[in-house]
Amino acid sequence: MSSPRPRIPEATVARLAVYLRVLTGLADGGRSNVSSGELASAAGVNPAGLRKDLSHLGPCGVRGVGYEVATLRDRIARVLGVERSRPCVLVGIGNLGTALADYAGFGSRGFRFVGLFDAAPDRVGRRIGGQPVRPMAELDEVVAATAATIGVIATPADVAQPVCDRLTAAGVRSILNFAPVALNAPAGVDVRQVDLSVELQVLAFLGQQRGAAASSVEVTA
């Protein structure tokens, strides 16, 4: 009996998603093969790191030939579970939530919004991306009817925790949080945090470092 494949590290899973995006673009462009160097460069990693990540999938490429684009794309898609559609709900239909709800790219990755929710009466009833915005009172019913297990929070920070509580109570087991606050979720619920302001601050810091390094070179030259 073969032993089960070791659990893939979370950081590797994130990179596999990037490889899938690159491979999908190559396949759409008619490419049949890609070298490890080209794939690594397009994904922003080094070839050795790419090969280590793909080793979690078993044998993939051929030395001197590279990878078959469609085959590797489909294998990664199966591992990530995006070959089947996954129902999601989105809470918070402000500017960010509206943009997320209207983004067609999620569908091509295997994710579809089956429910959009907001507490503001003036937003309820609007249609975004083909879906009506519903009141929060209908959250439990929609999650149960659609078997949605993924929830996206795009609310202000002060209401994000109560929304998280509502989602998990309804049966959601994975949450993507865009609100700038850390959430407390029950055991068995995965939470991914996306704080756009933090990412901008990191970029500002890196830019400041580059500027300081350049000034130092000019002074010592």
Side-chain angles (χ1 to χ4, degrees), residues 86-205:
R86 293 181 179 271
C88 311
V89 293
L90 169 63
V91 181
I93 312 299
N95 292 333
L96 177 58
T98 297
L100 293 170
D102 205 32
Y103 176 55
F106 291 131
S108 63
R109 294 296 192 88
F111 302 96
R112 60 187 176 90
F113 285 121
V114 295
L116 309 178
F117 300 90
D118 202 284
D122 60 326
R123 293 174 180 167
V124 172
R126 293 168 49 193
R127 296 191 71 86
I128 304 171
Q131 285 281 338
V133 178
R134 302 171 183 269
M136 288 296 293
E138 297 182 11
L139 178 65
D140 291 12
E141 177 186 351
V142 171
V143 170
T146 61
T149 58
I150 299 177
V152 179
I153 298 177
T155 66
D158 59 342
V159 297
Q161 184 61 56
V163 168
C164 175
D165 297 340
R166 288 285 305 274
L167 287 169
T168 56
V172 168
R173 289 297 172 262
S174 300
I175 293 176
L176 181 62
N177 178 36
F178 283 92
V181 62
L183 299 177
N184 294 314
V189 175
D190 297 313
V191 177
R192 296 283 294 182
Q193 178 76 32
V194 180
D195 192 327
L196 300 178
S197 63
V198 168
E199 298 304 323
L200 288 172
Q201 287 167 347
V202 170
L203 288 173
F205 172 75

